[in-house]
Amino acid sequence: MSGNRRRALAGADSLQKVKQMEKLIITVALTGNVPTRQMNPNLPVTAEQIAADVRRCRDAGAVLFHVHARDADQKPTLDIDAYKANVRAIKAAAPEVILQLSTGARAGRNWEDRAGPVRLLPEMGSFTTGSNNLPGIVYENSPQFIEFLAGVYRETSVKPEIEVFETGMIANALHLQKKGFLQAPLHFDFVLGAPGAMPGTIKNLLFLSESIPAGSTWTVAGIGKSEIPLSTAAIVMGGHVRVGLEDNLFMPDGSPAANPLLVEKIVKISREIGRDIASADEARSILCLDPANKDRVLFGVAPQPPQALP
Ligand code: ZN
């Protein structure tokens, strides 16, 4: 066989691999804790705005939604009623999507409050297995808190997305798995490019993706300018993608981003490369989510029936 023919076949093989990869799961981090509507008027803040954005992103191809809550002043909150209102509005607007509620610390430090969203029994929750610096704060997740939250995940059978800002957070997750808190297959999100944590480089993405156990799934959340480039790399590498205004407020051309526009961008890139986009049920299967738990969250967020008069 000539060298040219061999090279042509090798090219065809790698193209085939993209075709054979798992379908791409697109997650949207809709709101986060830091951005405001002053920074980007497309930011969804109220339950109604969040639900409308979910529907538009779902129509564009996203299936998994990372959800925070804000109070009436747009401030981040762990108030459980605010989470419930978001969940009710989202599930009414787009019943089939997968919800991943945030347990992040910017909205409060009380352990029970941070675990509250997991106790609502969404299909997934976020779980940062270590501490690091972020702009203006230490993002503190002590070993004691991590073990407490891992216990809540175990007891509720909610699947955690392990948020990895630094390599040690993978080791911490594997330690929790060894102690019986977390079950394989684990799902990781590599958060790269946040000021104060690991820079958003391809080298770091490759290193992290090769540092997790075989059979795990992973996604990447590139912060700021690294969002679309790292997403593109993840599409080619067989990972999954998280985009959204929580992580990045601008399109690559510098214009203000909107969640549906970011999803459309990812879908276009993935189709150009030849990788198909996962439906919600295909994403459940890829992430090994129990389909029986699909609507469990609805029981916990139903409005309380009015009290009977004595
Ligand atoms: Zn978040």
Side-chain angles (χ1 to χ4, degrees), residues 13 24 27 29 37 46 52 68 70 86 93 98 116 118 131 139 151 165 171 177 184 208 223 239 245 258:
D13 277 357
L24 179 73
T27 299
R37 283 171 75 82
T46 66
H68 286 252
R70 300 289 183 93
N86 286 351
I98 304 168
V118 181
S131 304
Y139 183 20
F165 291 74
Q177 183 189 8
L208 292 175
I223 305 300
L245 297 179

Side-chain angles (χ1 to χ4, degrees), residues 29 32-33 66-68 102-104 126 242 246-247:
N33 282 326
H66 174 80
V67 177
H68 286 252
S102 169
T103 61
S126 64
R242 161 172 142 171
E246 170 168 354
D247 301 335

Side-chain angles (χ1 to χ4, degrees), residues 132-135 165-166 191-200 221-224 226:
N132 57 277
N133 286 352
L134 287 178
F165 291 74
E166 295 287 354
V191 187
L192 292 174
M198 271 177 104
I223 305 300
S226 67

Side-chain angles (χ1 to χ4, degrees), residues 110-252:
N110 178 283
W111 287 14
E112 274 302 334
D113 288 348
R114 287 187 61 188
V118 181
R119 296 197 196 279
L120 291 180
L121 308 179
E123 288 182 86
M124 298 183 78
S126 64
F127 184 25
T128 304
T129 47
S131 304
N132 57 277
N133 286 352
L134 287 178
I137 62 159
V138 177
Y139 183 20
E140 189 182 316
N141 297 288
S142 69
Q144 294 79 6
F145 172 71
I146 292 169
E147 193 158 312
F148 160 77
L149 194 53
V152 177
Y153 276 108
R154 179 170 62 184
E155 153 197 324
T156 54
S157 303
V158 172
K159 178 150 183 166
E161 175 177 273
I162 298 156
E163 310 295 337
V164 174
F165 291 74
E166 295 287 354
T167 318
M169 297 185 189
I170 296 176
N172 291 344
L174 298 185
H175 180 65
L176 289 167
Q177 183 189 8
K178 210 165 161 188
K179 288 176 86 174
F181 284 102
L182 304 179
Q183 298 294 324
L186 301 178
H187 176 65
F188 294 89
D189 176 30
F190 305 132
V191 187
L192 292 174
M198 271 177 104
T201 63
I202 301 285
K203 194 173 179 179
N204 284 338
L205 181 62
L206 185 65
F207 169 61
L208 292 175
S209 68
E210 290 180 342
S211 302
I212 58 177
S216 309
T217 48
W218 63 269
T219 191
V220 67
I223 305 300
K225 286 197 173 88
S226 67
E227 183 172 74
I228 300 295
L230 287 179
S231 296
T232 306
I235 295 169
V236 180
M237 289 163 70
H240 301 280
V241 167
R242 161 172 142 171
V243 289
L245 297 179
E246 170 168 354
D247 301 335
N248 167 38
L249 294 169
F250 299 98
M251 301 304 291

Side-chain angles (χ1 to χ4, degrees), residues 55-126:
R55 199 203 304 248
R56 286 190 286 263
C57 291
R58 185 264 328 253
D59 291 347
V63 293
L64 209 166
F65 292 88
H66 174 80
V67 177
H68 286 252
R70 300 289 183 93
D71 66 15
D73 298 322
Q74 288 194 46
K75 297 254 160 29
T77 179
L78 287 169
D79 175 51
I80 208 66
D81 288 330
Y83 269 92
K84 286 181 183 178
N86 286 351
V87 170
R88 276 198 302 270
I90 293 170
K91 287 298 253 184
E96 75 281 19
V97 302
I98 304 168
L99 291 185
Q100 180 194 94
L101 302 185
S102 169
T103 61
R106 275 198 192 259
R109 288 169 170 241
N110 178 283
W111 287 14
E112 274 302 334
D113 288 348
R114 287 187 61 188
V118 181
R119 296 197 196 279
L120 291 180
L121 308 179
E123 288 182 86
M124 298 183 78
S126 64

